[in-house]
Amino acid sequence: MQNRLLAALPTSDLDLLKSSLHGVDLGVRQVLESPGQPILDVCFLQSGLVSVVATTRPDHRIEVGMVGHEGMTGLAVVLGDNRAANETVVQSAGSGLCIGAEALRSAMQRSASLTALLLRYVHLFLLQGSQTALANGRGRLDERLARWLLMWHDRLNTDDLVITHEFLARLLGVRRQGVTETLHALEGTGLIRSKRNLIRIVDREGLQRAAKGFYGIPEAEYDRSIPSLAGTPGGRATSDSRPDACRSVRSCP
């Protein structure tokens, strides 16, 4: 079980979901949820990367959240609603285990422990969103980009990301030229290697320093709140100088 939420469930809760879960392939730019539209399925990611994007007009778009194998889509369903507030789009191809919204609601009604775990993840996702707002409002572009690269690196089992500068600029809500210049600056300090459609992480610890504190709080809270998987052997520690330096979500198997 590659999804951390499903892996953290007790057997009795997982059994409630198993008969309704079905595997899906997730293609790049595939839209899983659209603003104001009913949520028919909830997806627990096994691999790949999904962006949650707030939008008001076609030219007013910014990423407000990121989901990988640590999480799930369809949080409105967990909270008792059935409509999406934002667009949810696949950023990096992968796979997931999906369940119908009604089937998930039914399972939650039958299990308080399942409901508690999913609500805990909603809290963690909201924390990620609040830290994204803080970074967007107070961070320089190089700090925001370093944070974004670290969050992506946490969720994919590779040091290489295939993405265009234009798409990355849309996610960050900035000009393409600014992204290109900032990537070149990070490359100049030996933290990454950047080509037209490819970014490679070279120095993760250096990126953590470059993020200047905008990365790490939601990651530490995830490990605290999902204790069954916290401290997984081989986990990647951050360069945080606090005694209990947080582990990133990349620490999962």
Side-chain angles (χ1 to χ4, degrees):
M1 189 67 67
Q2 297 174 358
N3 181 272
R4 284 190 71 176
L5 290 179
L6 293 180
L9 289 173
T11 302
S12 57
D13 285 343
L14 192 57
D15 286 343
L16 287 176
L17 303 178
K18 272 186 176 179
S19 63
S20 300
L21 289 170
H22 57 278
V24 297
D25 293 326
L26 303 173
V28 176
R29 307 296 174 89
Q30 178 180 349
V31 176
L32 304 181
E33 297 175 17
S34 298
Q37 298 302 308
I39 299 173
L40 302 180
D41 293 286
V42 172
C43 186
F44 295 87
L45 268 69
Q46 294 275 71
S47 61
L49 191 64
V50 167
S51 288
V52 180
V53 181
T55 177
T56 56
R57 301 200 305 259
D59 59 340
H60 282 185
R61 300 166 58 84
I62 192 169
E63 185 182 62
V64 295
M66 185 185 294
V67 182
H69 56 69
E70 87 292 347
M72 60 185 288
T73 66
L75 301 192
V77 175
V78 177
L79 296 175
D81 203 348
N82 69 341
R83 291 184 182 273
N86 299 304
E87 181 181 74
T88 300
V89 58
V90 178
Q91 183 188 131
S92 181
S95 64
L97 293 172
C98 293
I99 183 173
E102 290 300 327
L104 181 62
R105 288 193 193 96
S106 176
M108 291 174 63
Q109 290 172 356
R110 296 168 61 186
S111 172
S113 57
L114 171 63
T115 301
L117 179 69
L118 298 187
L119 286 174
R120 202 177 309 158
Y121 176 70
V122 173
H123 161 73
L124 294 166
F125 188 83
L126 292 174
L127 176 59
Q128 182 196 135
S130 68
Q131 290 295 304
T132 296
L134 176 63
N136 289 346
R138 303 297 294 178
R140 300 192 311 266
L141 182 54
D142 59 328
E143 296 164 346
R144 292 173 57 197
L145 188 52
R147 173 182 183 265
W148 189 92
L149 290 171
L150 289 164
M151 292 175 64
W152 153 69
H153 196 226
D154 287 340
R155 291 163 173 81
L156 298 179
N157 294 319
T158 176
D159 291 335
D160 293 335
L161 172 65
V162 178
I163 188 170
T164 66
H165 293 188
E166 181 179 359
F167 187 47
L168 183 50
R170 289 179 182 177
L171 293 176
L172 293 174
V174 297
R175 295 182 302 114
R176 178 186 179 279
Q177 181 180 354
V179 166
T180 299
E181 292 173 352
T182 304
L183 287 173
H184 288 165
L186 293 176
E187 185 173 26
T189 56
L191 303 182
I192 64 170
R193 292 178 185 169
S194 177
K195 298 181 180 179
R196 183 175 182 181
N197 297 327
L198 178 69
I199 302 172
R200 173 173 295 172
I201 302 295
V202 176
D203 182 356
R204 180 181 169 90
E205 291 186 358
L207 278 177
Q208 289 175 294
R209 291 190 294 271
K212 299 292 179 63
F214 288 110
Y215 168 85
I217 292 178
E219 291 74 21
E221 187 67 8
Y222 191 108
D223 282 337
R224 186 195 70 80
S225 298
I226 313 293
S228 62
L229 290 180
T232 301
R236 183 190 298 275
T238 73
S239 58
D240 193 330
S241 59
R242 292 170 295 179
D244 56 342
C246 70
R247 293 172 296 272
S248 73
V249 292
R250 191 176 173 84
S251 64
C252 72

